[in-house]
Amino acid sequence: MIGQEQQLIFKLDLISVFSLNELGQWKKFNMNTENGRICCNIYGYCGSVSEWIKKSIELFFNNGFPLKSVSYDVNYQKLERQSLEKFQNEFNEIHEGNVESLFSFTIFKGKSMKVPSSWEYGIRFDQPSRELQIFFNTSLEINHTQILVNLLKAYLDDKIVNFGYFSYETIWGKGEGLDLYMEDNHTWWLALNPRNRDILYNSSPKLRHIYPVNIINREFLEYEDATFSFKNWIQAPGNGVLEEIGQGNWLWIVPEERLHEIGKFFYEKKLLIGVKGENFGLV
């Protein structure tokens, strides 16, 4: 399990072998506590809500994590929570069209559906904002990274997204700060505002920031300017490990000791959104 001081090697389904040294940043996320989650955050994920629900139920079940409950907003006006079984009975194929108006849709397993901090694992998809998040509680004795990557591979099998990253959050949804170079949560908050969504999703090849584990698309992979080519740069030792995931997306692992330096480099290239000094027309 990530964070244990032993020479483990993870042989992931789609990634060539990564050692603990290459995923060193995740050691700090192995906390002897139940108050955290490892998350995979994706931006630019599009698709039918009903098809996503069917796919999620099957994928989680096949990976040994059956989903039990749902939480969603009806047009962002009414929050509903109920068992997955009850939801499936009420929203059958006859009423399937109504599912597309259910936003911030989360399917999960938890001790109490009314208490989000008790949710052990699950997935959330908000169709209007094109946000997808997979999460697992750190208290679960599992290989969090391998499971997240296996699920991510399936979700991105036929999708090309804008960008994504892995993160640690408290069970109350507060992100764990990594002291990233010039990071600015207010600018990121503006980017997520509905009035700025067109700007955000037409911003490729930009990323939110540089994280220990990143998801990039082909536009970022092929980015170049007069003095720089990402494809050439990534081949140099110390710039990280890059492997294709799905169709047209890549997983980019950044060495812990170079996180600040690489963040500064791409900040100066004006390729980061959630940073100070840049707003890219956000209002």
Side-chain angles (χ1 to χ4, degrees):
M1 183 173 177
I2 286 179
Q4 293 177 328
E5 299 301 325
Q6 52 185 330
Q7 297 304 311
L8 296 180
I9 291 182
F10 301 123
K11 295 184 179 180
L12 306 182
D13 289 348
L14 67 160
I15 308 177
S16 47
V17 179
F18 289 124
S19 70
L20 278 176
N21 289 333
E22 289 169 316
L23 290 171
Q25 187 69 23
W26 290 91
K27 292 180 181 179
K28 68 183 292 184
F29 293 156
N30 180 48
M31 304 181 180
N32 294 318
T33 175
E34 296 183 0
N35 295 330
R37 287 182 181 145
I38 303 295
C39 304
C40 174
N41 309 280
I42 298 294
Y43 297 88
Y45 186 91
C46 300
S48 159
V49 176
S50 57
E51 290 301 316
W52 169 81
I53 292 172
K54 295 175 183 176
K55 184 171 188 173
S56 297
I57 294 171
E58 180 180 357
L59 282 176
F60 272 75
F61 180 83
N62 289 343
N63 279 273
F65 297 94
L67 298 165
K68 299 295 186 180
S69 305
V70 298
S71 173
Y72 53 85
D73 282 323
V74 181
N75 290 320
Y76 296 130
Q77 296 177 354
K78 182 181 180 183
L79 179 65
E80 296 279 358
R81 286 176 183 153
Q82 57 187 298
S83 71
L84 177 58
E85 182 180 7
K86 181 180 179 182
F87 174 81
Q88 288 177 304
N89 289 335
E90 292 181 353
F91 285 85
N92 54 37
E93 292 185 2
I94 297 175
H95 302 97
E96 194 168 291
N98 296 331
V99 176
E100 303 306 316
S101 63
L102 303 181
F103 304 146
S104 194
F105 201 110
T106 307
I107 319 176
F108 61 94
K109 179 182 180 294
K111 295 177 181 178
S112 171
M113 70 175 69
K114 295 181 179 180
V115 184
S117 61
S118 75
W119 300 355
E120 298 173 16
Y121 58 81
I123 183 165
R124 182 181 67 87
F125 176 40
D126 185 54
Q127 188 183 56
S129 63
R130 302 176 226 173
E131 296 177 42
L132 183 76
Q133 183 188 68
I134 310 169
F135 63 89
F136 283 86
N137 198 299
T138 55
S139 65
L140 297 172
E141 295 184 0
I142 58 175
N143 184 332
H144 292 77
T145 301
Q146 180 170 359
I147 292 168
L148 283 173
V149 172
N150 287 344
L151 290 170
L152 184 61
K153 174 186 177 182
Y155 280 106
L156 299 188
D157 182 56
D158 59 350
K159 306 284 186 184
I160 297 177
V161 297
N162 284 64
F163 57 86
Y165 54 90
F166 285 17
S167 66
Y168 169 82
E169 293 182 356
T170 68
I171 56 176
W172 297 281
K174 182 179 180 181
E176 180 77 2
L178 292 173
D179 194 27
L180 301 176
Y181 182 78
M182 295 294 282
E183 182 180 24
D184 183 47
N185 289 331
H186 179 69
T187 302
W188 179 241
W189 175 83
L190 285 177
L192 294 179
N193 191 291
R195 64 176 176 264
N196 289 318
R197 282 176 187 160
D198 286 343
I199 297 175
L200 175 63
Y201 290 120
N202 284 288
S203 64
S204 283
K206 296 180 178 62
L207 308 177
R208 175 179 178 178
H209 214 294
I210 306 300
Y211 292 85
V213 183
N214 307 274
I215 296 97
I216 64 173
N217 62 16
R218 186 175 299 278
E219 287 187 69
F220 194 90
L221 177 75
E222 297 180 347
Y223 175 81
E224 58 183 33
D225 57 32
T227 60
F228 171 79
S229 163
F230 181 81
K231 275 188 173 181
N232 293 334
W233 176 88
I234 194 63
Q235 295 179 41
N239 289 340
V241 180
L242 195 67
E243 293 291 341
E244 190 167 9
I245 179 171
Q247 296 184 359
N249 306 285
W250 282 262
L251 200 66
W252 174 27
I253 309 296
V254 176
E256 175 184 4
E257 66 275 10
R258 297 204 61 213
L259 196 61
H260 185 273
E261 178 187 352
I262 291 175
K264 182 175 184 292
F265 179 79
F266 283 97
Y267 172 85
E268 292 173 348
K269 290 287 183 185
K270 299 186 182 299
L271 290 175
L272 304 182
I273 299 171
V275 292
K276 300 175 184 177
E278 300 285 351
N279 65 16
F280 304 106
L282 303 175
V283 293

